[in-house]
Amino acid sequence: MANGKTKGFSSNQGKGSNKPLYEQLKQRLKDTIQSERLKAGDRLPPIYLLSREWDVNYRTLRSAFELLENEGLISYETNKGAVVLDNSEKASRVSISYIRWQRDSFCVALYEGINRFCEEHNVELTMIDATNSHDLFINAILNPPNDSQGLLIVPEILPEYKDAVKQVISKGKKVVFLDRLIPGIETSSVSADHFTGAYKACSHLLETHHCPVGYIGYVHAPTSCKLWVEGWQEAMRNHNYFDHDPYCTDLMAFEKGITYGSDNFECIKDAARSLLGRMSKEHSPVCIFTGNNYVAKGVYETVGEFDMKVGEDVFLASIGEGPLGQSFPVPLTTVFLDSQQVGYDGARVLYDRITGNLEKSVHLLNPVELKIEESSVGKKMASK
């Protein structure tokens, strides 16, 4: 039989709650531990005895024990049972992990926001560096630090990522996606409003120059890029341009996995040449919306081949943040995404999911700001 310290739970007590029964059981045991009725070194009754005493399924109770182990409150060994750990700090401090895909300004901005939240709320943060390796990233998802209660990740739309996230969620870890989603995975996410950002930038070009806008960037993945395409298409339709194919240049047709290497930058320039070549034959001026400032740089470096200039013959807007766009010979009009705030809000949502302040998944969209510069309006209008 269960000892007196763990008596008093009935499965009927959980009826009417939105939380799964194993989470209710976990919380019941956690409350008992934190109230010091069970102290460090005390052994919990065997699961099979508790399952009889509380009239709950063995596997359900085992899941509750796994959650307690993930939070560092108990140590469980098969055939030996569970022992309460010294949890004076563990019980009160949340621990999360951020898996960084690569060492770039976007990932740094996310980390700065995450770290700011963690410092403000006494959350333990571990950063795992995947160094541009899908294998390392997936391994980090599947094998988070033992004391980590949740993960912040910028996911890829690949089957391996989807399977890994499903596995870690099934083990009781909370996951929050940053910047993008994996379709079919129901977990919380925080992102800039990519659709609205693209719509604003393209509408600005359409209304200023009264001609169609071309797009250079990824088209189908990740979901952030897909939303840029949807925003561009909606702006084009709103200005009576319904045939989008002639104006769309998918970077995947030129190079898979574009990064900041010089060889891959030549592929970006090839994509820019392709679109400029098509549009310059039929439209004057030429208006282009790019998926990021690095792609915009490719346009800047190829317009001269067509005897054209940005801000005079070619008008340009982009998605981006940071100083790159402002360092161009003609300052670049950009949609500012504020990735630091995305990181901060992602950490906040993960914290609230772990502590129970948020019982269900949420999908937050942060507002974006269009910063108009000379590249989209020309020197005269930019000076006004």
Side-chain angles (χ1 to χ4, degrees), residues 305-370:
E305 299 173 17
F306 297 86
D307 294 321
M308 304 169 82
K309 294 181 179 180
V310 173
E312 295 182 19
D313 314 290
V314 176
F315 294 96
L316 196 63
S318 181
I319 295 282
E321 55 190 321
L324 179 61
Q326 299 308 302
S327 70
F328 295 157
V330 177
L332 177 64
T333 291
T334 57
V335 176
F336 180 67
L337 303 180
D338 199 352
S339 295
Q340 274 198 39
Q341 191 62 44
V342 170
Y344 184 94
D345 290 340
R348 175 173 56 82
V349 169
L350 182 56
Y351 178 85
D352 285 345
R353 290 287 287 140
I354 291 169
T355 58
N357 294 329
L358 275 175
E359 291 194 0
K360 295 183 179 180
S361 298
V362 296
H363 302 285
L364 299 186
L365 291 178
N366 286 0
V368 296
E369 179 185 358
L370 178 63

Side-chain angles (χ1 to χ4, degrees), residues 94-159:
V94 170
S95 177
I96 66 174
S97 298
Y98 164 54
I99 306 174
R100 184 175 70 181
W101 165 243
Q102 63 185 7
R103 299 162 188 167
D104 65 0
S105 58
F106 168 65
C107 291
V108 169
L110 288 175
Y111 173 75
E112 288 176 346
I114 294 166
N115 190 55
R116 178 161 55 91
F117 177 88
C118 291
E119 288 182 347
E120 290 176 2
H121 295 81
N122 191 33
V123 174
E124 183 177 356
L125 172 63
T126 301
M127 183 169 73
I128 303 166
D129 195 351
T131 63
N132 291 70
S133 167
H134 289 300
D135 288 341
L136 289 177
F137 202 109
I138 291 167
N139 183 66
I141 295 173
L142 290 172
N143 300 286
N146 289 334
D147 61 349
S148 181
Q149 296 154 270
L151 297 175
L152 291 163
I153 64 174
V154 181
E156 294 288 338
I157 305 178
L158 295 172

Side-chain angles (χ1 to χ4, degrees), residues 5-7 27-39 44 54:
K5 295 179 181 179
T6 56
K7 278 188 175 181
Q27 190 60 50
R28 180 78 175 186
L29 288 164
K30 183 175 180 178
D31 290 344
T32 301
I33 293 170
Q34 293 181 343
S35 68
E36 297 188 351
R37 280 185 285 166
L38 286 170
K39 300 182 182 296
L44 289 169
W54 291 355

Side-chain angles (χ1 to χ4, degrees), residues 123-360:
V123 174
E124 183 177 356
L125 172 63
T126 301
M127 183 169 73
I128 303 166
D129 195 351
T131 63
N132 291 70
S133 167
H134 289 300
D135 288 341
L136 289 177
F137 202 109
I138 291 167
N139 183 66
I141 295 173
L142 290 172
N143 300 286
N146 289 334
D147 61 349
S148 181
Q149 296 154 270
L151 297 175
L152 291 163
I153 64 174
V154 181
E156 294 288 338
I157 305 178
L158 295 172
E160 298 87 348
Y161 281 76
K162 188 172 185 177
D163 291 343
V165 172
K166 281 185 174 180
Q167 286 187 47
V168 77
I169 290 175
S170 72
K171 294 177 180 178
K173 303 286 188 185
K174 303 299 183 184
V175 176
V176 172
F177 292 148
L178 301 176
D179 184 66
R180 58 192 69 165
L181 302 172
I182 298 180
I185 297 287
E186 184 49 45
T187 192
S188 295
S189 67
V190 179
S191 171
D193 189 351
H194 294 293
F195 174 87
T196 298
Y199 180 83
K200 282 184 174 182
C202 295
S203 295
H204 161 66
L205 289 170
L206 286 157
E207 292 163 6
T208 302
H209 302 288
H210 309 288
C211 62
V213 175
Y215 171 76
I216 306 176
Y218 290 114
V219 172
H220 302 292
T223 54
S224 52
C225 298
K226 188 175 180 182
L227 289 167
W228 296 341
V229 173
E230 291 177 4
W232 163 68
Q233 291 174 332
E234 181 62 19
M236 289 279 277
R237 284 191 292 266
N238 200 38
H239 289 79
N240 203 31
Y241 296 105
F242 289 89
D243 185 8
H244 305 139
D245 289 344
Y247 307 110
C248 184
T249 301
D250 186 355
L251 285 177
M252 285 295 288
F254 293 84
E255 174 65 30
K256 291 185 177 180
I258 290 178
T259 62
Y260 294 120
S262 59
D263 292 341
N264 288 326
F265 185 62
E266 286 302 315
C267 297
I268 292 176
K269 290 166 70 174
D270 287 342
R273 290 185 188 102
S274 176
L275 184 61
L276 285 166
R278 298 196 309 270
M279 293 191 69
S280 62
K281 293 176 182 178
E282 298 184 14
H283 302 285
S284 181
V286 172
C287 290
I288 298 175
F289 171 64
T290 63
N292 61 49
N293 291 353
Y294 198 62
V295 177
K297 179 177 169 65
V299 177
Y300 275 77
E301 295 195 12
T302 53
V303 292
E305 299 173 17
F306 297 86
D307 294 321
M308 304 169 82
K309 294 181 179 180
V310 173
E312 295 182 19
D313 314 290
V314 176
F315 294 96
L316 196 63
S318 181
I319 295 282
E321 55 190 321
L324 179 61
Q326 299 308 302
S327 70
F328 295 157
V330 177
L332 177 64
T333 291
T334 57
V335 176
F336 180 67
L337 303 180
D338 199 352
S339 295
Q340 274 198 39
Q341 191 62 44
V342 170
Y344 184 94
D345 290 340
R348 175 173 56 82
V349 169
L350 182 56
Y351 178 85
D352 285 345
R353 290 287 287 140
I354 291 169
T355 58
N357 294 329
L358 275 175
E359 291 194 0
K360 295 183 179 180

